[in-house]
Amino acid sequence: MTVLDWLIVAAYFAILAGIVWWSARRVKTTTDYFLAGRDVGFFVIGASIFASNIGSEHIVGLAGSGAANGLAQAHWELHAWILVLLAWVFVPFYYRSGVFTMPEFLERRFNSRARWILAVVSLTAYVFTKVSVTVYAGALVFRTLLADVFGSPDQAFWVGAIATVLATGIYTILGGLAGGGVHRGVADGVVDSGERVHHGVRTFGAGGLGRVARGGAPAGRAMGPLALEQ
């Protein structure tokens, strides 16, 4: 990585720290922490939902699988419109109920035991099926791109994994929903812009859309995000 690359990374984390500081100052009640004071704009909410769904497992894993297997890999993501339909049905109901979380809703509907069961099952499943994969895929980026910086691929891998967990935990715990939402809105712009540039550069390098449609890139010029030039 060049000096410019490190400056960009430092600027991003400086913005992240500023968002956390600004959000932490505004947290006065549980409504502020869990619902961002109910005054977050629709754009931030939408960008936050989008960025929350897009992680390193998509940029590294899903994109690489798509490059290897074709458009069929996108079949799962193409059904995201179902979530929008469910939101139209359930979100107004939850909003009128005045609950912050699904376990809280179950406690009001049934009892505290139902709340604890859902909370424990959800957290356990999320750690093993989502967080672990996200951290692993992010650490692969460190191992592939920053091995020389941290001494070896294995050291870079563990630095990436630990740094990802710590950074995410700090800004989420301190900033609450406002900090997480605004940060994900910023991240959405960064990820979306970067992916568009990356897609254009790699498509052009592979010989253009025509070459890709006829059978993909030449050897050594695969379009996967970690398939670097040989």
Side-chain angles (χ1 to χ4, degrees):
M1 294 177 64
T2 65
V3 175
L4 178 60
D5 295 325
W6 286 111
L7 289 176
I8 293 174
V9 172
Y12 176 80
F13 280 99
I15 294 174
L16 173 59
I19 292 173
V20 172
W21 174 79
W22 169 78
S23 302
R25 291 185 58 193
R26 300 183 60 191
V27 174
K28 306 296 183 182
T29 65
T30 54
T31 300
D32 294 334
Y33 188 83
F34 288 106
L35 299 180
R38 299 181 184 270
D39 63 352
V40 178
F42 75 94
F43 177 80
V44 174
I45 295 175
S48 176
I49 293 174
F50 179 81
S52 297
N53 181 58
I54 302 299
S56 55
E57 73 275 18
H58 293 82
I59 298 175
V60 177
L62 190 60
S65 298
N69 303 322
L71 186 62
Q73 198 68 40
H75 183 266
W76 170 262
E77 295 296 331
L78 292 176
H79 286 286
W81 60 272
I82 296 178
L83 297 178
V84 179
L85 296 181
L86 293 176
W88 279 100
V89 176
F90 290 106
V91 169
F93 177 74
Y94 295 141
Y95 185 82
R96 289 194 300 269
S97 300
V99 297
F100 296 159
T101 64
M102 277 301 300
E104 184 181 1
F105 172 76
L106 285 187
E107 182 180 32
R108 293 191 179 187
R109 177 64 177 83
F110 299 103
N111 50 49
S112 60
R113 181 181 179 184
R115 173 177 182 167
W116 279 104
I117 291 175
L118 179 61
V120 171
V121 170
S122 298
L123 288 175
T124 303
Y126 198 80
V127 167
F128 286 103
T129 64
K130 176 69 175 178
V131 175
S132 58
V133 176
T134 300
V135 173
Y136 177 77
L140 285 180
V141 176
F142 276 72
R143 188 174 73 176
T144 303
L145 302 180
L146 302 175
D148 294 338
V149 175
F150 296 105
S152 69
D154 288 339
Q155 291 183 14
F157 177 89
W158 286 109
V159 169
I162 295 172
T164 300
V165 172
L166 291 178
T168 304
I170 290 172
Y171 83 72
T172 301
I173 293 173
L174 295 181
L177 182 62
V182 176
H183 166 255
R184 292 186 186 100
V186 175
D188 179 32
V190 174
V191 171
D192 187 60
S193 300
E195 283 295 293
R196 290 177 186 276
V197 172
H198 174 266
H199 177 73
V201 171
R202 301 303 292 170
T203 301
F204 178 79
L209 287 175
R211 176 60 184 268
V212 174
R214 288 194 300 271
R221 308 181 83 178
M223 294 179 63
L226 295 184
L228 305 180
E229 295 288 349
Q230 301 297 322

